[in-house]
Structures are given as C-alpha cells and as structure tokens.
Amino acid sequence: DAGVIQSPRHEVTEMGQEVTLRCKPISGHNSLFWYRQTMMRGLELLIYFNNNVPIDDSGMPEDRFSAKMPNASFSTLKIQPSEPRDSAVYFCASSPMTGLGNTIYFGEGSWLTVV
Amino acid sequence: QKEVEQDPGPLSVPEGAIVSLNCTYSNSAFQYFMWYRQYSRKGPELLMYTYSSGNKEDGRFTAQVDKSSKYISLFIRDSQPSDSATYLCAMSSGGFKTIFGAGTRLFVKA
C-alpha cells in the first residue's frame, strides 16, 4: 500500500522564483494537510483540506503561499515569489478521519532551500 | 505559553537503557494523544496512539497519559541504536487540528 507521495524531494531555487510542491495522498483518505517543519518553529499546520475543500488556511504564512486540491488524489502547495525564509521541509499528510481522532500519515517531505 | 511543551534534548543513552520521553500540555480539551517517530530526513510516522487517560503497551514501547496532570510519557524499554530518532508528541481534541510538540532527539549508543 503506497503511502503519501511527495515531489520534488529536494528543491533549490533562487529568491523570487515560483516553487510548486506536489502531493498524492493515500487512496481513500478524505483529509489532506500541508505542514512546514523548521528547527525554530517545529511542525506547523499550513492548510487543511477535507473532501478536496480547503477548511482551514489560517496557518498559511502570507499571500505568497497558496494551495489547491483539484481532486481526491492530488494537491499542490505553491510559493510565489519565494524568499530565503521559506527554506524548510514541507510535509504533505493525509488522514482517513474516522472520528477517532485524526491519525495522520506523512509523506517523506519536500526539502526546500531558497537562496 | 505553547499548548504543548516538549524538551528538545538531545537525549543520549546507552543501548539497553530505559528511555523516558515526556510532554506537558495546557489544553484540557485534548482527548487523543499520539507519539510520532521521525528518522533523519524522513517524515514522522505514527508510533503510539491513545485515547484519554491510561497506559498502552506495544512491544518495547509504553505510552502513558495523565490528564489530571496534563502530562504524557513514552517509555522505551531495552533501547536499541535503531531507536535513534526524533520523537514528537501530538495531541488533538478530536477535530482536524493536531498540535505537535517540538520533538526530542534521542541517540542510543551501541
């Protein structure tokens, strides 16, 4: 059973460039999350989708960040324009949301460096 | 004050030692408590899941929740070098929002 699949695994880009991170959640999971992890701030929730609909984007740091989920098997997180402070690991995660608390399954992350 | 407090470590122990990892929290609405393990350059993976107070054991791992003290623990018995990782506590009140601790880095020396 495939887990959450993220691409690219590593990205190095110059400041001002557009960055697009991609995610394929686990089949059958109806909830999708984008997290950002840094040494300073730990794991932060950026946005949460339920049944492809954005439910909470209060964690999105700025208007430079946007996320979409056009269908149940694909989501993107876009940063435009990128800045050095956006350098972090971005995790996509999905959950079946059975009502027994949200057990979250993470992808392996996209390691972003903005220079 | 953060909702979830976790000592970042690092914690270094010899192989075979009993490891105790802990988190405190402030939100009494939390009902679901989890421990995730994150190996270097990998995503977090769910290790233990408990609901409300009490203990749960799975092999060498035991999770404890004390809601009256707002304190959760993860014990690792007979620790192995393969247990070297970052351990994140996480908790939820049942909705979509899960709050993670900062993670404790554990090193088990052979």
Side-chain angles (χ1 to χ4, degrees):
Chain A
D1 189 17
V4 176
I5 299 172
Q6 292 187 245
S7 64
R9 288 295 317 278
H10 300 89
E11 175 99 359
V12 181
T13 191
E14 292 186 347
M15 182 174 63
Q17 295 299 305
E18 177 178 295
V19 173
T20 299
L21 308 178
R22 298 173 178 79
C23 175
K24 177 179 169 54
I26 294 172
S27 177
H29 285 191
N30 61 353
S31 294
L32 183 138
F33 308 82
W34 282 99
Y35 284 87
R36 177 172 69 177
Q37 187 176 43
T38 61
M39 289 292 292
M40 290 297 295
R41 301 174 68 89
L43 205 54
E44 303 174 280
L45 177 64
L46 300 178
I47 187 168
Y48 158 65
F49 291 87
N50 184 251
N51 293 323
N52 312 340
V53 176
I55 302 300
D56 188 325
D57 65 354
S58 59
M60 297 285 262
E62 299 170 36
D63 290 345
R64 299 183 297 106
F65 286 70
S66 63
K68 293 182 179 179
M69 191 166 186
N71 58 62
S73 58
F74 184 67
S75 177
T76 59
L77 178 68
K78 187 175 292 187
I79 308 172
Q80 166 63 20
S82 58
E83 296 183 4
R85 60 193 167 122
D86 302 330
S87 297
V89 186
Y90 290 82
F91 287 105
C92 178
S94 68
S95 171
M97 292 296 281
T98 60
L100 300 177
N102 39 328
T103 305
I104 299 172
Y105 299 82
F106 286 83
E108 297 215 318
S110 291
W111 300 72
L112 174 65
T113 302
V114 183
V115 297
Chain B
Q1 181 189 7
K2 291 183 180 179
E3 277 192 285
V4 178
E5 297 279 0
Q6 183 176 12
D7 187 336
L11 179 62
S12 184
V13 301
E15 183 176 358
I18 296 175
V19 176
S20 173
L21 304 168
N22 311 293
C23 288
T24 59
Y25 63 95
S26 57
N27 188 346
S28 57
F30 289 145
Q31 295 283 338
Y32 302 92
F33 303 91
M34 293 144 282
W35 286 94
Y36 284 80
R37 177 175 61 196
Q38 185 175 19
Y39 289 115
S40 179
R41 306 192 73 79
K42 297 288 188 182
E45 57 177 340
L46 182 66
L47 190 61
M48 297 285 284
Y49 174 99
T50 51
Y51 170 71
S52 195
S53 285
N55 294 0
K56 184 173 184 178
E57 188 172 322
D58 184 1
R60 296 184 295 109
F61 298 89
T62 299
Q64 285 186 353
V65 175
D66 182 350
K67 291 188 68 180
S68 62
S69 302
K70 296 190 179 68
Y71 188 87
I72 71 171
S73 302
L74 178 71
F75 297 95
I76 307 174
R77 290 184 299 280
D78 187 24
S79 56
Q80 302 295 309
S82 58
D83 295 327
S84 298
T86 296
Y87 291 81
L88 300 100
C89 62
M91 41 201 85
S92 164
S93 58
F96 69 88
K97 204 163 240 185
T98 299
I99 307 299
F100 287 84
T104 300
R105 294 180 66 193
L106 171 67
F107 296 97
V108 181
K109 299 172 292 184

